[in-house]
Amino acid sequence: MSAADDDAAAALTTAPVRLTPVLGVTAAILLTISCITPASSLFIIVPELLATQGSGVVIALVLGLVVSIAVGACYAELGTRTPSSGGEYAMVTHTIGRTFGWLTFALTAALLVVIPPVIALGTADYLSSIVDLDRSITGAVVMLLATCTAVLDVRANALVTSCFLALETLTAGVVAFLGFSHSERSVSTLVHPQALTDGALSPFTLGILVSGLAIAMFVVNGFGTASYLAEEMLEPRRDVARAVFGSLFIAALVIIVPTAAVVVGAGSLEDLGVLTFPDFVESWAGPRVAAAVSVGIALAILNAVIVMVLQNGRVLYASGRDQAWPAVVNAALTKLHPRFNTPVVATLSVAIPGAVLAYLVDIESLLGVTAVMVAAVYLLLAFGALAVRRTPHAGWKMPLWPLAPVVVIVALTYALAQSAALDLGITAGVVVAALAYEVLYLRPRRDTRFLVDAREDR
C-alpha cells in the first residue's frame, strides 16, 4: 500500500475509541503492586542476591530501592504529564521525539511478549512439593487463565488481583514471622554483613555490593504499570504519581522485611546461598507450612501474570489508537469488548503468543536480554525526564530535579556496561529493526501514522 492509499484509509478512520475512567488511587495501587508481585520477587529474585550478597542482601536491596525511587520519579512526572495507556512510548515521544518514542515502543513490545511467560513457567517449580506438573503445560495454562481474567472489566480485575495480593502478602508475612521468631543472630548482622563467595563466607566489599545492583534495582520492577492505567484513572494528573510511589514503597516493605528475617533466622549464613525460602520455612515450621507457602508463591505468579497481560494489552491498544500500523491492524487493536470495554483483540494479541512461547520455547534463556531491554527503556525515560520541563505541564513535578534522572542514567549505564555482549547485540538488533520500520513506513506517513495522543483532555 502506498503512502497516498494509506492516507486515504486513515481519513476514513473514525474517532478513536476511549477506555473508561473508573479507577481510584486505591484500585490503581493494588493493580500496580500486583504487577510488581512482591512475593514473586521475594521468592524468585532475592535468592539470587542471597547467593552472592550473603547477609549484606538487605543493604543491596536498599541501594536498589534508591535507584528504583529515582526511576519512579521519572515515571511519576512523565506519567502525569502524558496520561496515556501507551505508557513509556507516549511519555518519550512527547519529550524527546517520535523516533525515540518508537524505539521505546519496540523495546517495550518485545518485553510484553517475553516477560509474562518467563514468570508463568515458575509455577510448576513451586508446586512440585505438592503435585508433579509438566512445567511447559503449566506455564501455558497460567497464561491462558490470566488472559481470561485480563479481558474482564478493569474494576473486576482490581478485585481479583487484590484478593491474590492479600494471599501473597500473607505468605510473605508468614516468612517474616517465622524468621524473626527463630532468630539465630542479632539484627546487627544486617549492617555488619558478610558476603558469600563460592558458598563460603567472605568480606562484604563495595565491589560485591555494586555487583548486585543490576538485580537489586529490578526487584520492585513493575511500578510503571501505574502509567499504563492512566487513561482509566479518574484523576490521572494526581493519581499516577501516588500509584507509582505507593506501590513501590509497599512492595519494598513486603520484600525487604522477610528477607531480613531469613538472614536473621537462617541456621547458618552459608545456608543463604544454597537453600530456598520454602526450605527455610520447612526447617522452622515443617513441610505442611512450607507447602502452603509454595501455594502462596504460585498464586503470586498467577497474580503477576494477570496484571501483566492486562497492562500489555493496553499498550498494544494504544499503539493502534495512535495509528502505528496499517489501517486494518489499527482497527483490530482498538476494538473494545462490548460489555467490559476492554481491548480484547490487543490483549489476545500479546497473551496468546506468550502462552505458545511458554509451551514450546526455552524462553528463560532470554532473561539476560530482558534485563538489558528494561534498562534501555529506563534510560530513555530518564532522558525524557531531563527534557520534560522544556515546556510547562500540569502534572506532578519531582523534587530536586534533575537529580533523579541523572542517578538513573549513571546507575543503568554501569549496569549495561556489565551486560553480556550477546544480550547487548540482540537488543541492538531490535533497535535496528525498529528504526527500519520507522524510516520506511512511519516517517513517509508522519501526518497520518504514529500520532501519539498526549491525552491533554485528561
Side-chain angles (χ1 to χ4, degrees):
M1 179 182 286
S2 68
D5 292 339
D6 220 23
D7 290 347
L12 298 174
T13 303
T14 57
V17 289
R18 299 292 194 191
L19 299 171
T20 304
V22 295
L23 296 176
V25 66
T26 300
I29 288 175
L30 290 173
L31 282 168
T32 305
I33 297 174
S34 294
C35 189
I36 296 173
T37 183
S40 181
S41 294
L42 173 66
F43 298 122
I44 296 173
I45 300 177
V46 169
E48 294 186 39
L49 283 172
L50 284 167
T52 58
Q53 302 292 305
S55 58
V57 66
V58 172
I59 297 176
L61 289 173
V62 170
L63 180 60
L65 177 62
V66 170
V67 178
S68 295
I69 291 171
V71 176
C74 297
Y75 268 104
E77 178 154 351
L78 293 170
T80 55
R81 180 203 182 279
T82 308
S84 165
S85 287
E88 294 96 344
Y89 87 77
M91 302 174 194
V92 171
T93 298
H94 284 282
T95 50
I96 55 177
R98 281 169 53 99
T99 298
F100 287 112
W102 178 251
L103 291 180
T104 304
F105 171 77
L107 291 167
T108 304
L111 295 170
L112 300 184
V113 178
V114 173
I115 292 180
V118 167
I119 294 175
L121 281 170
T123 309
D125 296 340
Y126 280 98
L127 293 177
S128 59
S129 62
I130 303 170
V131 60
D132 184 24
L133 297 172
D134 181 85
R135 202 163 182 268
S136 298
I137 294 175
T138 304
V141 169
V142 167
M143 285 296 304
L144 294 175
L145 287 174
T147 304
C148 293
T149 304
V151 297
L152 299 176
D153 175 82
V154 70
R155 284 180 295 188
N157 272 286
L159 176 62
V160 171
T161 56
S162 63
C163 292
F164 281 135
L165 182 62
L167 290 173
E168 67 175 277
T169 303
L170 176 62
T171 301
V174 168
V175 173
F177 171 77
L178 290 173
F180 283 125
S181 63
H182 292 78
S183 177
E184 295 285 344
R185 57 194 59 85
S186 167
V187 293
S188 64
T189 303
L190 303 174
V191 293
H192 298 95
Q194 290 180 288
L196 287 170
T197 303
D198 296 326
L201 295 178
S202 60
F204 186 78
T205 64
L206 179 60
I208 289 175
L209 174 61
V210 174
S211 71
L213 178 62
I215 297 176
M217 65 186 174
F218 293 124
V219 166
V220 290
N221 180 46
F223 49 80
T225 296
S227 66
Y228 298 116
L229 300 173
E231 290 188 39
E232 292 165 282
M233 291 186 191
L234 297 171
E235 298 288 343
R237 302 282 182 183
R238 179 194 68 188
D239 289 346
V240 168
R242 293 182 178 184
V244 167
F245 290 115
S247 61
L248 198 162
F249 287 119
I250 293 171
L253 187 68
V254 173
I255 294 167
I256 292 176
V257 173
T259 301
V262 167
V263 172
V264 170
S268 70
L269 292 180
E270 288 86 349
D271 288 345
L272 297 176
V274 293
L275 299 183
T276 66
F277 276 76
D279 291 334
F280 287 117
V281 171
E282 184 169 351
S283 70
W284 295 326
R288 291 186 178 180
V289 176
V293 166
S294 296
V295 171
I297 299 170
L299 290 176
I301 292 172
L302 175 59
N303 194 29
V305 175
I306 289 173
V307 182
M308 287 179 183
V309 171
L310 180 150
Q311 72 166 29
N312 296 349
R314 280 149 177 77
V315 176
L316 204 57
Y317 153 84
S319 74
R321 184 200 58 202
D322 294 338
Q323 305 296 306
W325 314 101
V328 63
V329 178
N330 295 326
L333 293 178
T334 53
K335 184 176 179 59
L336 299 183
H337 193 283
R339 177 180 176 185
F340 303 124
N341 202 52
T342 53
V344 59
V345 175
T347 300
L348 293 174
S349 297
V350 292
I352 300 302
V356 173
L357 284 173
Y359 182 66
L360 295 178
V361 181
D362 178 23
I363 55 175
E364 285 178 306
S365 60
L366 298 177
L367 283 175
V369 72
T370 298
V372 171
M373 289 184 183
V374 170
V377 171
Y378 282 1
L379 274 176
L380 287 164
L381 279 178
F383 284 113
L386 285 178
V388 69
R389 299 194 187 179
R390 290 186 298 182
T391 56
H393 68 86
W396 177 86
K397 295 178 177 63
M398 72 180 79
L400 302 178
W401 179 89
L403 178 61
V406 170
V407 168
V408 174
I409 291 169
V410 171
L412 293 182
T413 299
Y414 171 81
L416 287 173
Q418 306 302 308
S419 300
L422 178 61
D423 296 334
L424 293 170
I426 293 173
T427 303
V430 173
V431 169
V432 169
L435 281 174
Y437 183 83
E438 198 271 338
V439 170
L440 298 175
Y441 182 78
L442 294 178
R443 195 170 296 179
R445 301 165 174 80
R446 62 182 304 113
D447 293 332
T448 59
R449 286 291 174 263
F450 203 50
L451 308 176
V452 181
D453 190 347
R455 294 311 310 267
E456 299 291 348
D457 56 310
R458 300 300 314 281

